Amino acid sequence: FVANVSHEIRTPLTVMSGFIETLQSLQLEAADREKYLELMSVQALRMQELVNDLLILSQLEGSSLPSTSDPVGLEMLMSGIESEARGLSVSQRHVGDEPQILHFETPKGVEILGVSKEIYSAASNLVNNAVRYTPAGGLITALWTLLPDQRIQFSVVDTGPGIASEHLPRLTERFYRVDPARSRETGGTGLGLSIVKHVAANHGGEITVWSSPNVGSTFALRLPVYSPEGVI
Ligand code: ADP
């Protein structure tokens, strides 16, 4: 794990050191200097995201079932996730691309018991992955459904590239990527699904994925609905 983390951090660091050296040694035009600074800030952001995800993961790994469960209002939670996802979708769109279609369905007035920031992190990782991996013009649907067994399910359905079945059992491993080059391009840390798996486990839930190459993927996070007396 330490070797993996070091490798993940070394790449952006090497790129940044290269740019710093260039800025120090060459007299650049203002426009070129801007370009290098912009590229450096992308690498700095990548390292920041990686460190943030590592901190979330280390907190999750140290905790068991949530000791402090609070009522988490789904509408409030989803409004943050939706605006983040729409912003991400716009920011990755190239000139001339069809926009992605994002569709959110959240039941009104529903609260679940859990750790708000953990559930936010899990749900936003699933939605942001769908946005990052789905090509222009694709459809991403995020919805909450109450299941007959008293659990609640958050599903994210996309029309992205899909994932071949041999990769599915390994997706939640830290730093496992189906296509490392593509994931790097779309800016992932390689820790997202690992975080989702831990959040699910900490809440007594589970994460399931169905996927067909060239058709799309569905990720479903199932959580028990807690009552103050325990699981109902
Ligand atoms: P990353 O930061 O690389 O996206 P994740 O842990 O979130 O890391 O996901 C692990 C891998 O699973 C990704 O690298 C990608 O190959 C695959 N993956 C995750 N979500 C999707 C999706 N919606 N469509 C296609 N592939 C996905």
Side-chain angles (χ1 to χ4, degrees):
F1 180 57
V2 172
N4 279 337
V5 173
S6 311
H7 178 77
E8 295 289 331
I9 290 180
R10 195 172 59 181
T11 313
L13 260 183
T14 309
V15 178
M16 265 176 87
S17 315
F19 290 141
I20 291 170
E21 225 176 277
T22 310
L23 286 172
Q24 282 173 331
S25 59
L26 295 178
Q27 284 292 343
L28 295 170
E29 300 279 320
D32 286 334
R33 210 172 44 235
E34 271 310 303
K35 198 178 77 195
Y36 281 111
L37 287 172
E38 179 57 37
L39 291 168
M40 284 167 69
S41 104
V42 170
Q43 298 303 324
L45 204 67
R46 236 184 96 183
M47 282 192 283
Q48 242 166 35
E49 282 172 355
L50 184 62
V51 170
N52 280 344
D53 275 1
L54 282 168
L55 285 173
I56 293 174
L57 202 57
S58 80
Q59 276 168 8
L60 283 168
E61 288 185 339
S63 67
S64 53
L65 282 175
S67 48
T68 50
S69 280
D70 295 316
V72 180
L74 291 188
E75 280 171 285
M76 181 76 134
L77 183 93
M78 289 312 294
S79 83
I81 290 175
E82 179 170 350
S83 56
E84 202 185 300
R86 290 194 187 280
L88 177 64
S89 177
V90 169
S91 73
Q92 71 181 14
R93 187 176 163 201
H94 296 114
V95 184
D97 275 357
E98 287 263 310
Q100 291 177 327
I101 300 158
L102 274 62
H103 177 73
F104 286 81
E105 265 178 49
T106 308
K108 293 200 189 314
V110 173
E111 286 183 336
I112 55 176
L113 278 184
V115 183
S116 176
K117 76 174 198 265
E118 290 190 10
I119 296 172
Y120 186 100
S121 178
S124 74
N125 266 305
L126 294 181
V127 174
N128 292 347
N129 274 354
V131 170
R132 287 193 296 115
Y133 291 106
T134 301
L139 173 67
I140 292 122
T141 308
L143 51 118
W144 288 89
T145 345
L146 210 49
L147 301 174
D149 63 359
Q150 293 295 339
R151 291 188 301 170
I152 196 159
Q153 173 169 299
F154 178 60
S155 339
V156 182
V157 186
D158 69 51
T159 57
I163 303 161
S165 59
E166 69 265 26
H167 295 290
L168 297 181
R170 301 197 58 192
L171 287 185
T172 57
E173 288 176 20
R174 295 174 298 196
F175 299 120
Y176 186 81
R177 285 153 173 141
V178 174
D179 177 349
R182 185 172 155 69
S183 299
R184 211 149 285 137
E185 205 180 284
T186 56
T189 61
L191 297 172
L193 291 179
S194 185
I195 290 174
V196 179
K197 185 179 143 188
H198 276 90
V199 171
N202 284 3
H203 284 76
E206 64 193 5
I207 166 88
T208 317
V209 53
W210 299 268
S211 193
S212 321
N214 306 316
V215 178
S217 311
T218 298
F219 286 82
L221 174 66
R222 290 200 195 107
L223 298 170
V225 181
Y226 289 94
S227 73
E229 293 79 37
V231 185
I232 53 170

